Amino acid sequence: MPTTHRLESTADSAVDVLTAERRPVLTVAPGDTVTVHTLSAAGYTERQPAPGVDAPTLIDPRRGHCLVGPIAVTGARPGAVLAVRFDDLVPDDWGYTGSGGVDTPVNRALGLTDPASRGPLLWDIDPERGVAVNQLGLGVRTAPFLGVVGLPPEPAGEHSTIPPRPLGGGNIDCRELVAGSTLYLPVTVPDALLSVGDGHAAQGDGEVSGTAVECGMTTTMTLTLLDTAPVEGVHADTPAGRITFGFDADLNAATATALDRMVDWIVALHGTSRAEALAMASVAVSMRVTQVANRTWGVHALLPHDAILTGASLTDARH
C-alpha cells in the first residue's frame, strides 16, 4: 500500500546542490506521497526585519537554492520517467522579492545594476485568501508552486541548482506547475534522487527581476515511475494545459526545443503528420518565456486542454 511521508527543512535534510553522491534523506516506493516543508530559496529561518536586511539562513555560506533532498525512489533507473504530481502547495505567511543591484543582462538593459537601486519587497501572505500584500500596500493573487524540482544531471559531482537543465530539470520556474499538475522528469541516475524547494507564492512568466514572491512552502506530492512518456524531455500536464520545455543559453534554441516536443505531443494525441501538427500549434499553442533569471533561457509551449476540438467537443462548440 502507498505510504505517506513527511520531511522538514533541517541541517540534515537541506542541500544547496544537486548530487547523486549524497546519502538520501528519504527513500520511498513508487506511488508514495511525500509532504515536505522547504524554506525560501535563500534558506531564511526567520522573517527579514526590513527591506534589504538579511536574516539568518539554514545553510551558510550557501552555493545555490536551499532545497530538501535527495529523495530516493526505489526502482528508478535511467530510461524511466519520474512523475511528480503536486497534490497541494501551501505557502508560508511571509515572503520577499528582490530586484536590481546585480550585474545581469536584464539589469544592465534597465539601468539597475547599482546596488543602491535595489528594490526589495517584503510580503505578508494569506494562504486562505490567496493574496499577498507588500510594504507598499500593493497586493497580488497567489498561485503557489515550486521553482526547483530536479534530479542530478550526472551520477558524479555536485551540480549547481541555478540553471534549468534538459536532463533532470531543476530550476524550471514555471508558474503553471500549481497544485493538480504533474511534472515528468526523465530519470538521470539510479533511484532518481529528487530535490525540491524554491517556493513561489506568485510569479509572472519570465520572473523578470530574478525572484518571485519567494517563500517557504509545504508541498504534498505523489511520486510514481513510468516506463515511457508521451514525449521526450521535461514536460508537464497542468490545469492550464499540456506543457513542453526548452532550456538553452540561446533563446532560439530553447524555443525550438519546446516547440519540437509539443509538435511530437500533438502528433501522438491526434495522429497527424509533423507538418500538420506544427500548423495546429500555430493556431492553438502559446509560446512563453518561462524565466530569464537563471543564466539559461527557459521557454515553454502551452497547449490548453480545450484548444484543439474533436468529436463531441467540436459538435458542442458549433452550438
Side-chain angles (χ1 to χ4, degrees), residues 53-76:
V53 178
D54 277 336
T57 58
L58 184 61
I59 300 175
D60 186 22
R62 176 178 56 87
R63 295 169 289 180
H65 300 82
C66 182
L67 310 176
V68 166
I71 299 169
V73 182
T74 303

Side-chain angles (χ1 to χ4, degrees), residues 238-243 262 284-286 288 301-308:
T238 76
R242 295 178 173 90
I243 290 177
M262 183 54 73
V285 172
S286 294
R288 297 182 175 176
L302 171 64
L303 175 64
H305 293 296
D306 60 354
I308 297 178

Side-chain angles (χ1 to χ4, degrees), residues 6 24 30 86 90 95 135 139 158 170 196 205 207 209 218 229 238 261 265 270 277 285 287 294 308:
R6 185 170 183 95
F86 300 105
V90 181
Q135 78 273 17
E158 294 182 335
V196 300
D205 285 326
E207 196 187 16
S209 84
T218 300
T238 76
R261 301 278 165 75
W265 211 341
H270 300 290
V285 172
M287 302 299 298
N294 300 319
I308 297 178

Side-chain angles (χ1 to χ4, degrees), residues 17 21 50 66 120 148 202 210 212 270:
V17 293
E21 298 179 338
C66 182
V148 178
H270 300 290

